[in-house]
Amino acid sequence: MHLIMIVAAFFIACWTRCQWRLPQGSWSQRWQTALFLFLFPPLLIFMTAIALICMGPQGKMSGLYTGWFSYVLALSSLAFFGILCIKLAWGGWQSVKSTRNCPLVNLAGKQARLLDTGALFAGQIGFWQPELVLSQGLLQTLSAEQLETVIAHEQGHYHYRDTFWFFWLGWVRSCTAWLPNTEALWQELLILRELRADAHAASQVDPLLLAESLLLVVSSPPVSSEIFCAALGSSGVERLEQRIEALLAQPEPIPEVQLQSWNGFLLAFLPLVTVIFHT
């Protein structure tokens, strides 16, 4: 019976991911769709594995015997997911430690770490309390007005805690890279993250000046991983085009997250209900 649960969870997860289509609609619609299709299948698999661990290898379920195979499979999966989380957290911590070795500078009342490189880089590096990191090349290339727009964009990432939340989304991506459309949904979430930070910045600075700064910075390759780094220039050509178009068209306001938008995720917890039928 447990094996049937595993097969059903994998089938539903793959079928759900296959519903992904090219992004359409407003920022809010795109965000809710992408986040649900990205998170629901892994969450369903996680909850199924946890339910099997809770029921154990002994006993019956709906009159059918359970066994060790499904139990060991679930336990191995959760152990693998845990190891991946530790590995990513260690990489992120190493990046944070490296960042803290950079000198602190004060720019327009904002503290930032100064990266000794000629590359044009601006980003938030860290987890819940990330630090603003700017490169020496960026300070030498951008004007004071352009630098203000860059800092405003990075403040958007800080406001939404993007480095923290995208660390966990990056972990989910690593755990379920084999699911259909994982990379497409990941790229969609990344561009929506940048559009949100751009919109936050555009409410404080000139959007056209921000677009100009973006074009300058994006030519430089990213310095750090996007899992624990939210950087202004971490965009591909397609993402850059979307961001420039959004800025030129005046970014739409970002709505507050509504509680009902999370209701669909409750279905992923249904496997836990099966525990009461195990004897």
Side-chain angles (χ1 to χ4, degrees), residues 124-127 130 161-167 227-230:
Q124 296 281 350
I125 296 181
F127 294 94
R161 308 289 181 180
D162 283 336
T163 51
F164 176 79
W165 297 116
F166 272 80
F167 167 79
I227 294 176
F228 46 83
C229 171

Side-chain angles (χ1 to χ4, degrees), residues 23-30 252:
Q24 294 179 341
S26 65
W27 184 95
S28 179
Q29 292 170 329
R30 288 176 62 182
E252 61 179 281

Side-chain angles (χ1 to χ4, degrees), residues 39-55:
L39 276 183
F40 178 81
L43 188 59
L44 178 65
I45 293 172
F46 293 165
M47 291 302 104
T48 301
I50 292 173
L52 296 179
I53 295 299
C54 292
M55 288 186 282

Side-chain angles (χ1 to χ4, degrees), residues 208-226:
L208 295 179
L209 196 57
L210 175 58
E212 181 182 306
S213 304
L214 175 60
L215 285 171
L216 288 172
V217 177
V218 80
S219 60
S220 183
V223 174
S224 197
S225 168
E226 290 179 295

Side-chain angles (χ1 to χ4, degrees), residues 3 8 77 92 101 185 198 200 214 221-222 270:
L3 197 57
S77 298
N101 291 328
L185 286 164
D198 286 342
H200 183 275
L214 175 60
L270 284 179

Side-chain angles (χ1 to χ4, degrees), residues 1-6 52 60-67 70:
M1 187 61 186
H2 288 182
L3 197 57
I4 294 176
M5 287 180 59
I6 293 175
L52 296 179
K60 291 182 180 181
M61 184 178 174
S62 299
L64 298 177
Y65 284 98
T66 61
S70 56

